[in-house]
Each structure stands twice: as structure tokens, then as C-alpha cells.
Amino acid sequence: MKKMRTYLTVLTMSAFVLAACGGTDDTNDGGDDQQGSDEAGETEGGDDDILSEEEVTEPSEDGVLHVSFGLGESEWAVFRTEILPAFEEMTGIEVRAVQVESGDLVNKLTAEIDADNVTIDMFAQDVNHLTGLVSRDLVEDLSDYRDVVPDSVIDGMMEVSEFEDELLFLPYRPNVEITFFNEEKFDEYGIDLPRNWDDLLETAQALEEETGQGRVAIKGILEDDTVLHMFDFIRSAGGDPHQFNDEGSIEAMTFLQELWPHLSEQSTTANWDTMNQYLENDSIYLGKNWPFYIGEFHANGKDEIQAYAGWEGPEGMSHALGGEVIGIPRGSENVDEAIQFAEFLMSQEVQELLVSELAWPAVRSDAYGLVQGYQEPYFEAIRDALEHAEPRGNVPYWENAEQIYIDAFQQIVVNGEDVESTLNNAAAEIEELREDAE
């Protein structure tokens, strides 16, 4: 791997900064922001300038990068109109987006590396879905490029980028859930925001009594969203969700079982998308979700939907760290160019643009300078939540383990079955998967 340090840090970025200052209320449009997203690895938007896999059958020529990022339409618009032109003008490197279906990424890279014909130079992948890429040895070891990572990058993103002390990915985009609430409704009923589990239960009960139905929701849709909420509750009780039958896990699942009858019925269908809908149509008054819809609340005249970091459990606050990291396929002929683009994306100027225009949490702590107006309280919540964010953890057996967690949630929380015996059975199943993977 040849190593050519980028010169981006010494180039002027004035033109780009001017573009950033002209930010709009444009926001992320949803699905691609999700942890465990089906869209991870895709670059969307429906634009003619996104190449299909069939159009890219050879490695990129000199001065060209083939990249595959999971972007929604409005996100791709910002990249296409502001980020890519600025990078291309500064470096002379042309960036071409390639559409790769998320489920195809690992198999595509495996086939291309085996055939010594790597057509993708760089991709973004969900931080919680890296195991397949690592176990199949599909990515370059980027340990020699540690010094391109800014010191201000948040610790959790570095943690998810390293495997056995090797830097295999570069931090790019963190994500964390915050707790949205309807300020007008809380004021109307004279209820304070819940700051701990006791408050949360009392709030759910009070709103149910005042309105005749549950108004607090969690993501109980029995999908990966549900598992992330379980991890938050378990870690907030001092438990280890990967063990799943320790004292903290038992305490968390017992609390959820008690809370469940007082939640909104829409908890059973609440996920990353519908949670926003339920908040926006006033059917629920409090619920956790990713922050991508902040601008839409504002644009739709729903400024009473405010946010804070959330509540603590018996042992503190915990949020599952989501987001994406950048990988470079092993065998790419454009590693140096990809490193330059990665460093550009991690730069303070680009991160400030992503924060102000797309409401993305910044990967570095010094990139909130353009946040202003209605965005300020939301990003205060985001920064607070990021201080308590923990990676879910990339374990090689996760694909088979996720359903075990979902089944346990259904049995304990929804069906009201015995907590300890259910968790013991689930923990035994997870341990069996762990042993098989070793």
C-alpha cells in the first residue's frame, strides 16, 4: 500500500465554507439513517449520475474514485452539489457514486477480491454491521493512517473502527437516539420530563390517566430497533446485554414488563420511521428516535416537538452508538485517493456542513459551530446523548443472536412471562452461538 499523506489540511476551503453558510432546512429523509438499515451500503437518490453495479465492471482509472455510501435523496443532494464539487476542485480527484445493494456488499467484495478485480474504492457501512467485512478479510488495514483521524473524533467511533488493535475503518458519521417530547402537551398536563426510570413510569401512567390512552412509546415492533432499546435499558441498569441474564439485565427487563401496559399501543409498530409520524400527529407525546427528522418537524410547523437526552437508569444513562464508518476494500488501486476523501469528510468544515444541513451528529466534537436557531436545543440533546453512547458491539454470531433478543422481549414484555427463566434460556442460546463462533 503506497502512502501519500493528504494535503487537504493546508488547502484553503473558503469556497466550501461559503457554501456551508448557506445551509437550508433540508433534512435527512429517513430510512438510510437507521442502525441495522437495510440500506446500508447503498447510495440512493434516483439521480442519473449514480452508476449501477452493471456499469462498473473494472477498477477505477487514475484520478477517479468509485464510492458506495448509504445516502437518502436529500443527503445525496448535499453531497452532489456541495461536498463532491469542493473535494474535486481541491484535489482533482473525481468521485463517482456507485449503487450497491446493502445485502450484496459483502458478497460483491468477496467475489471482486477473489477475482483481483476490485471496482469499489471506498464504502460506508453501519457500525453495527462490520463483522462480515472483517471476518472475511475484505478491508485494508488502515493502521498506518491513524494520524489522519482528528484528535477531536469521539471515542466511541474510534472504538468501533478498530479490531484487535488494527484500524480497519475510519470514523465518518456517528448517530445516537435522543428523546423527543411534545412540549405543549407536557405543559398542558403539568408533567415534568422523566429523568429516571421512576419518572418514566410515573409519566407514562400520568399521561395515560389524563388522556385515556398511553402517550409514551418505545420501539416495541420486534425488529432490530427493539433490540437497541433493550441494550439501552440493560446497560442503564449496569447489565451486560451480551450476557443477558445478569442482575442488570433482569432488572431492566422486569422494569420494561412493568412499564409496557402504560405505553401507547403504537409501541408495537414504532420504529425509526413511524416514531416520527406518531410524534408529529400528536398520537404520542414522548419517544426516542434518531435525530434525522429534526428539520422536518420544524418545516412542518411542529416546533413544540422538542428533545433532550433522555432518562437515567439505576446505574446511569446509556445510548446505543449508531452511524457509519468508512472502509476501503482490500485490493483497491486507489487507497491514497480514498484516504484523502475520508480525511476531507472528517474535516471540521465538512462535518459542520453535515450538521447544519442534514442534522447529522458530528463525528468530531468541534464541528457544531454552524448550529443556530431552532437547531440549538436538539444538538444540545445530541451532544449530551453522545457522551453516554456505547457501541452495540460487533460479535460474529450477531446475525443469529438478534432474534433471540426479540423473542425474549416478546415473551417477557409483551406476553408477561417469567423474567429470570426466560433470560436464562435466552442466555444459554447466545452462549451456544458464542461457542460455535470460537
Side-chain angles (χ1 to χ4, degrees):
M1 178 193 306
K2 60 181 179 178
K3 180 177 180 181
M4 182 182 72
R5 285 297 312 277
T6 178
Y7 49 86
L8 293 175
T9 52
V10 297
L11 285 176
T12 177
M13 298 181 68
S14 57
F16 180 75
V17 172
L18 286 173
C21 291
T24 69
D25 285 342
D26 192 14
T27 63
N28 299 351
D29 58 352
D32 53 290
D33 293 277
Q34 287 318 294
Q35 312 320 304
S37 168
D38 290 337
E39 296 172 319
E42 297 178 23
T43 302
E44 294 192 336
D47 297 83
D48 293 337
D49 50 357
I50 298 178
L51 302 171
S52 68
E53 289 187 64
E54 291 73 21
E55 294 177 289
V56 182
T57 59
E58 300 289 338
S60 54
E61 59 264 35
D62 288 344
V64 175
L65 271 180
H66 288 163
V67 304
S68 178
F69 281 20
L71 299 173
E73 184 174 353
S74 60
E75 295 169 322
W76 172 233
V78 172
F79 270 70
R80 185 185 64 243
T81 60
E82 300 190 50
I83 294 176
L84 299 189
F87 176 74
E88 291 172 349
E89 181 178 351
M90 291 169 60
T91 64
I93 299 170
E94 180 184 354
V95 179
R96 296 176 185 168
V98 181
Q99 174 91 21
V100 178
E101 297 297 331
S102 62
D104 295 341
L105 181 63
V106 169
N107 288 336
K108 176 181 177 63
L109 294 182
T110 300
E112 291 191 350
I113 290 172
D114 288 347
D116 194 23
N117 184 44
V118 177
T119 65
I120 302 296
D121 298 308
M122 183 178 183
F123 61 86
Q125 180 65 301
D126 190 303
V127 299
N128 291 317
H129 290 78
L130 303 177
T131 301
L133 295 163
V134 175
S135 63
R136 294 196 190 187
D137 191 23
L138 299 179
V139 293
E140 289 278 357
D141 179 0
L142 305 178
S143 299
D144 287 346
Y145 296 97
R146 287 183 185 276
D147 55 354
V148 307
V149 180
D151 293 338
S152 57
V153 164
I154 59 177
D155 293 340
M157 290 301 289
M158 288 303 295
E159 183 179 339
V160 298
S161 300
E162 295 178 313
F163 288 77
E164 297 182 348
D165 297 326
E166 292 183 339
L167 184 67
L168 300 185
F169 302 93
L170 292 172
Y172 152 62
R173 176 190 181 185
N175 210 350
V176 67
E177 288 192 325
I178 54 179
T179 302
F180 292 93
F181 65 96
N182 189 314
E183 189 173 38
E184 289 183 355
K185 296 298 183 182
F186 272 76
D187 288 345
E188 178 182 346
Y189 296 111
I191 297 174
D192 294 330
L193 292 175
R195 302 292 179 178
N196 55 48
W197 283 9
D198 289 340
D199 290 350
L200 179 59
L201 179 59
E202 291 174 4
T203 298
Q205 291 172 327
L207 288 173
E208 181 186 31
E209 183 176 336
E210 290 282 357
T211 69
Q213 58 183 296
R215 297 292 187 175
V216 174
I218 66 171
K219 294 176 179 175
I221 194 172
L222 303 180
E223 295 178 350
D224 53 355
D225 286 303
T226 305
V227 178
L228 290 182
H229 275 197
M230 293 169 67
F231 270 51
D232 290 353
F233 276 101
I234 290 171
R235 285 171 165 163
S236 295
D240 179 359
H242 293 288
Q243 181 177 342
F244 205 33
N245 63 344
D246 57 9
E247 186 176 338
S249 298
I250 294 170
E251 186 172 9
M253 298 306 291
T254 300
F255 174 74
L256 284 169
Q257 189 179 64
E258 183 180 8
L259 177 66
W260 183 256
H262 306 290
L263 297 178
S264 166
E265 292 182 358
Q266 290 176 315
S267 291
T268 59
T269 54
N271 62 11
W272 60 269
D273 182 26
T274 56
M275 186 70 85
N276 293 324
Q277 297 174 24
Y278 301 154
L279 285 161
E280 194 165 66
N281 65 22
D282 296 339
S283 57
I284 67 168
Y285 301 159
L286 184 135
K288 288 179 66 175
N289 204 8
W290 308 103
F292 66 94
Y293 204 73
I294 289 172
E296 292 299 315
F297 285 136
H298 176 67
N300 295 335
K302 296 294 292 184
D303 286 334
E304 68 270 27
I305 307 299
Q306 290 295 307
Y308 73 120
W311 49 82
E312 294 183 346
E315 298 298 328
M317 184 181 292
S318 180
H319 295 271
L321 178 65
E324 292 181 328
V325 291
I326 289 169
I328 299 176
R330 185 165 58 81
S332 167
E333 296 179 1
N334 295 289
V335 173
D336 294 330
E337 291 83 355
I339 290 292
Q340 289 186 63
F341 190 41
E343 188 171 10
F344 184 72
L345 293 176
M346 289 185 286
S347 69
Q348 185 176 14
E349 290 80 0
V350 172
Q351 288 291 315
E352 285 182 336
L353 176 72
L354 296 173
V355 167
S356 63
E357 293 214 17
L358 298 177
W360 286 13
V363 77
R364 49 191 295 163
S365 58
D366 58 356
Y368 291 96
L370 297 181
V371 173
Q372 57 187 335
Y374 80 91
Q375 293 181 325
E376 290 182 359
Y378 297 105
F379 277 96
E380 182 178 345
I382 290 169
R383 298 177 73 172
D384 191 5
L386 280 173
E387 290 182 3
H388 304 280
E390 304 174 76
R392 188 200 65 195
N394 279 292
V395 294
Y397 52 85
W398 182 256
E399 183 176 346
N400 295 319
E402 190 168 67
Q403 190 60 46
I404 296 173
Y405 290 96
I406 292 172
D407 290 344
F409 182 93
Q410 181 169 27
Q411 292 165 18
I412 294 171
V413 180
V414 179
N415 298 341
E417 297 179 18
D418 182 72
V419 176
E420 290 195 39
S421 62
T422 303
L423 289 184
N424 284 336
N425 291 336
E429 292 182 66
I430 293 171
E431 178 60 25
E432 185 175 349
L433 293 176
R434 186 181 295 117
E435 291 175 355
D436 290 344
E438 293 177 348

